[in-house]
Amino acid sequence: MSTLILIVEDEEDILELMEFNLGREGFETMGFLNTKRVIEVLEEEKVDLILMDRNLPGTEGSEFVASLRRSGINTPVIFISAKDKDEHIEEGFERGGDDYLTKPFSMKELVLRVKAILRRTQKTSVEGNVTYRDITLNLASRTVIIENSPVELTKLEFDLLYALMGNQNVVLDREYLLEHVWGGDEMYQDRTVNVAINRLKEKIDPDKSKEYIKTVRGVGYTLC
Amino acid sequence: MSTLILIVEDEEDILELMEFNLGREGFETMGFLNTKRVIEVLEEEKVDLILMDRNLPGTEGSEFVASLRRSGINTPVIFISAKDKDEHIEEGFERGGDDYLTKPFSMKELVLRVKAILRRTQKTSVEGNVTYRDITLNLASRTVIIENSPVELTKLEFDLLYALMGNQNVVLDREYLLEHVWGGDEMYQDRTVNVAINRLKEKIDPDKSKEYIKTVRGVGYTLC
DNA sequence: TATTACTGTCACGGTTTGATTACAATAGTT
DNA sequence: AACTATTGTAATCAAACCGTGACAGTAATA
């Protein structure tokens, strides 16, 4: 489960240099000199990050990214450009870029910015510490700390709480929860969720004084 | 429910300039000249992003952030520094920074980088907002803010208001509303809509001073 | 102003929805 | 295999929600 970085850069020597340095840090890379085959690759492979030159012959890199965004592809992007005027930086960000590097840049900085973006975007799966108020989930050890004390949860309860904590301020309906927490193709009834939620509430807030989980009548449940 | 940015910067004029520019973009800011009271604030308020000067007298900003991370606080951080040597940038990133700005930087770039970080970290709450005058609906959390205060609506009321807000300046007749808000194939009477509209009016404008919803006699209702 | 049609308001009660408990079935452990 | 923990389902209860009908209020028209 390594990290795959896709690079589009028309200057071949720079492309090689980038691939070499990122490879040395343990990243897998795929280099392209233009955007021709990029969309296919994005559909086939799970790409974690795109490094995109903005000054490509033909297509503008930022226009390409804008079209990716329009078709629902939200892979993070770092733009690379020789231009360093504000207007261009602005355009890059507005079109869905996550960071911006201007040539010439050091390979060290490239690696650092790549790591920072990845840290932010794969936070949950890699680092694995999610917090909400005084609740902390550790995904690796599947442990739960509430008010500095450990709380024991079953697998189902943990997964359910994780789903809620990963979607703070979002109302999750029962269908969604059955799909994402229970998963599989078993058929369950909506009531099943009610009972599971109540068992979870009982464990994380026995006094019923915290009101972590709010039920939204007719819709579902939320952490807010 | 706006976005709160916490800034630590010991140069007072720069702090003011940052607060002014971010405020103009609609962000709430809290400025500090040192890290003394910051931890308390982070525990009390829901801070969305921290801007941290690394060259503070006394504590190193990056050391402070590292300690935040150790105590499980994962609020995103942008470091700000006069140093632009690689080694310092590296230290900032390694200690849990999400981005790095070196002085002097333009306010435009600051704002852009702030937005890029927020886009990644709070995708749910930024998207899917509908507004009309001083009413804001958040579809994900199904919350309603009117004049900066939350208002509680039932599922039906929320769906009804959403239908109206999604069709501003369009008169929706009762048949349309029954079809789109009530849905299903149940048969309801037109009067049902009247009562629902009035219950909604009562909740979003108890004083009857705003006149959000206009009734178009013989036709239906509209938001205009 | 008088008439009429439409809309607002209120109270009532049925229906839906969720919380809670108990029980059964299943999986995991000793 | 016996035991325990886990979890789905059924049953019961309480409460929120909302559809309906009756009537008052209001706007339109002549």
Side-chain angles (χ1 to χ4, degrees):
Chain A
M1 228 232 35
S2 80
T3 304
L4 178 59
I5 300 175
L6 191 153
I7 311 173
V8 187
E9 166 63 64
D10 65 324
E11 293 177 66
E12 208 162 348
D13 49 345
I14 294 188
L15 178 59
E16 267 179 35
L17 188 61
M18 289 166 73
E19 293 203 70
F20 172 72
N21 279 278
L22 290 169
R24 205 172 49 177
E25 294 286 333
F27 299 113
E28 271 189 70
T29 59
M30 297 181 71
F32 297 86
L33 293 167
N34 52 60
T35 57
K36 275 180 197 145
R37 286 202 57 252
V38 171
I39 291 199
E40 308 167 35
V41 173
L42 284 171
E43 279 165 358
E44 283 162 18
E45 311 254 357
K46 187 194 159 291
V47 173
D48 297 287
L49 173 64
I50 299 171
L51 301 179
M52 171 70 60
D53 192 349
R54 283 205 50 207
N55 305 109
L56 297 170
T59 341
E60 261 282 332
S62 62
E63 177 48 45
F64 181 75
V65 171
S67 75
L68 288 185
R69 295 287 183 259
R70 279 195 294 273
S71 46
I73 297 175
N74 285 313
T75 313
V77 169
I78 299 180
F79 279 114
I80 290 160
S81 167
K83 299 173 180 171
D84 62 349
K85 301 244 186 332
D86 263 347
E87 53 196 313
H88 297 110
I89 294 182
E90 178 161 24
E91 197 188 324
F93 276 117
E94 304 260 303
R95 292 192 171 183
D98 293 277
D99 205 342
Y100 209 99
L101 271 172
T102 51
K103 297 179 191 171
F105 55 85
S106 76
M107 282 301 140
K108 210 166 185 175
E109 182 167 6
L110 171 69
V111 168
L112 290 171
R113 289 203 180 270
V114 164
K115 284 184 181 171
I117 297 277
L118 290 174
R119 176 142 31 91
R120 202 186 311 142
T121 53
Q122 334 182 293
K123 199 175 275 173
T124 46
S125 52
V126 178
E127 261 185 52
N129 254 6
V130 191
T131 55
Y132 165 73
R133 282 164 57 183
D134 52 9
I135 303 179
T136 302
L137 295 197
N138 186 309
L139 298 189
S141 60
R142 293 184 70 87
T143 51
V144 184
I145 307 284
I146 300 180
E147 279 184 302
N148 305 315
S149 306
V151 173
E152 296 255 322
L153 295 185
T154 69
K155 167 179 160 49
L156 182 72
E157 288 157 359
F158 186 91
D159 292 343
L160 183 54
L161 182 55
Y162 176 48
L164 290 165
M165 290 185 61
N167 292 283
Q168 296 176 21
N169 302 314
V170 178
V171 180
L172 303 178
D173 59 39
R174 293 176 178 73
E175 198 185 350
Y176 176 93
L177 290 169
L178 285 173
E179 171 93 29
H180 287 81
V181 177
W182 277 257
D185 14 53
E186 309 284 331
M187 285 300 291
Y188 301 101
Q189 26 187 94
D190 285 3
R191 294 285 188 70
T192 298
V193 179
N194 297 22
V195 180
I197 286 277
N198 280 313
R199 285 170 178 156
L200 175 58
K201 278 185 180 172
E202 175 65 25
K203 287 203 188 170
I204 63 179
D205 181 23
D207 304 340
K208 296 169 207 249
S209 57
K210 303 291 200 58
E211 309 214 328
Y212 294 116
I213 299 171
K214 186 177 152 199
T215 108
V216 180
R217 203 183 170 83
V219 188
Y221 298 90
T222 186
L223 228 66
C224 64
Chain B
M1 224 223 32
S2 76
T3 303
L4 179 59
I5 301 176
L6 191 153
I7 311 173
V8 186
E9 165 63 63
D10 65 324
E11 292 177 67
E12 208 161 346
D13 48 345
I14 293 188
L15 178 58
E16 266 178 36
L17 188 62
M18 290 166 73
E19 292 204 68
F20 172 74
N21 278 278
L22 291 169
R24 206 171 48 177
E25 295 285 334
F27 299 113
E28 271 188 68
T29 58
M30 296 182 71
F32 296 86
L33 294 167
N34 53 59
T35 56
K36 275 181 198 145
R37 287 202 57 251
V38 171
I39 291 200
E40 308 166 37
V41 174
L42 285 172
E43 279 166 359
E44 282 161 19
E45 311 253 358
K46 188 191 157 295
V47 174
D48 296 288
L49 173 65
I50 300 170
L51 301 180
M52 170 71 59
D53 191 349
R54 284 204 50 207
N55 305 110
L56 296 171
T59 341
E60 262 282 334
S62 61
E63 176 48 45
F64 181 76
V65 171
S67 75
L68 288 184
R69 294 287 182 260
R70 280 194 295 272
S71 46
I73 297 174
N74 287 313
T75 314
V77 169
I78 299 180
F79 279 114
I80 290 161
S81 168
K83 300 172 179 171
D84 62 349
K85 302 245 186 335
D86 265 346
E87 53 194 311
H88 297 112
I89 295 182
E90 176 160 27
E91 199 188 324
F93 276 120
E94 304 260 303
R95 290 194 171 181
D98 293 279
D99 205 342
Y100 208 98
L101 273 170
T102 50
K103 294 179 192 171
F105 55 85
S106 77
M107 283 300 138
K108 209 165 185 176
E109 181 167 7
L110 171 69
V111 168
L112 290 171
R113 289 200 181 271
V114 163
K115 284 184 180 171
I117 297 272
L118 290 174
R119 178 142 31 93
R120 273 291 156 205
T121 54
Q122 41 168 224
K123 52 175 176 283
T124 48
S125 53
V126 176
E127 283 171 38
N129 268 0
V130 190
T131 56
Y132 163 73
R133 282 165 56 185
D134 52 9
I135 304 180
T136 302
L137 296 196
N138 185 307
L139 301 194
S141 60
R142 295 185 69 90
T143 50
V144 184
I145 306 285
I146 301 180
E147 279 185 301
N148 304 315
S149 304
V151 173
E152 296 253 322
L153 296 185
T154 68
K155 170 177 156 53
L156 181 73
E157 288 157 359
F158 185 92
D159 292 343
L160 183 54
L161 181 55
Y162 177 48
L164 290 165
M165 290 183 62
N167 292 283
Q168 298 176 21
N169 302 316
V170 178
V171 181
L172 303 178
D173 59 41
R174 293 177 178 73
E175 198 185 350
Y176 175 93
L177 290 169
L178 285 173
E179 171 93 28
H180 288 80
V181 177
W182 277 256
D185 13 53
E186 309 285 330
M187 286 301 291
Y188 300 101
Q189 314 182 4
D190 283 4
R191 213 170 316 133
T192 297
V193 179
N194 297 20
V195 180
I197 286 278
N198 284 311
R199 284 172 178 156
L200 175 58
K201 277 184 181 173
E202 174 65 25
K203 287 204 189 169
I204 63 179
D205 181 23
D207 303 340
K208 299 170 206 241
S209 56
K210 303 291 199 58
E211 309 215 328
Y212 294 117
I213 299 172
K214 187 176 153 197
T215 105
V216 181
R217 212 181 163 79
V219 189
Y221 299 90
T222 184
L223 229 64
C224 64

